Amino acid sequence: MELNKQNRLAAGLLSERFPQVSGIVISMTYYQKGANPVLMLRTVNVVPTDSAYFNMECVIKGCVDGGFDLSKIIANMVKARKKIGKGKLTCCGKTDVHPSDHASIDYEIDIRYNKKLR
Ligand SMILES: [Zn+2]
């Protein structure tokens, strides 16, 4: 938890990192291995005053060093001024019970840009 907080602070604010962005909506479907693959749906709204931290934690119990890092994907989208991005990420963490690929997400990223800044 403490490390997470530090990472968030280190990431800076969305308005500092990407001043041309007025907002980001990240919609995710979390999947796990097993009979009931859909774990949950989650939507994250990021506004300019939020930290530019896009490493979504893995929700599987006992997962170490896992998560879904959307930072690079979002940075590339902003660079290309892309509005919508979709894809799939697999957790790279490990748990005692499951060796790897125990969880994945489908994501859709929706980025809104400021019209004034070019
Ligand atoms: Zn995990």
Side-chain angles (χ1 to χ4, degrees):
M1 266 305 180
E2 195 50 42
L3 185 69
N4 205 336
K5 205 175 161 188
Q6 280 174 21
N7 286 340
R8 274 176 194 278
L9 285 173
L13 297 180
L14 180 66
S15 59
E16 294 164 358
R17 183 95 199 276
F18 303 120
Q20 68 274 52
V21 172
S22 64
I24 303 175
V25 180
I26 306 166
S27 309
M28 293 169 286
T29 307
Y30 283 71
Y31 297 97
Q32 62 181 342
K33 273 204 156 173
N36 281 313
V38 176
L39 207 55
M40 66 167 182
L41 302 176
R42 190 179 169 207
T43 302
V44 178
N45 274 290
V46 187
V47 298
T49 48
D50 286 334
S51 59
Y53 184 75
F54 308 110
N55 196 357
M56 304 300 164
E57 67 275 20
C58 178
V59 290
I60 302 295
K61 239 184 185 170
C63 177
V64 178
D65 293 331
F68 309 100
D69 196 0
L70 298 171
S71 310
K72 219 178 185 171
I73 297 160
I74 289 175
N76 285 336
M77 281 178 69
V78 173
K79 219 168 146 188
R81 231 183 145 85
K82 228 179 134 186
K83 284 179 184 158
I84 294 188
K86 286 180 189 181
K88 199 175 176 70
L89 285 177
T90 302
C91 179
C92 53
K94 286 190 164 101
T95 73
D96 292 340
V97 195
H98 312 284
S100 65
D101 73 352
H102 52 269
S104 63
I105 59 165
D106 277 342
Y107 63 82
E108 183 174 326
I109 300 166
D110 194 334
I111 304 180
R112 292 186 305 275
Y113 296 91
N114 288 313
K115 291 203 171 72
K116 285 175 252 170
L117 292 167
R118 277 171 196 276

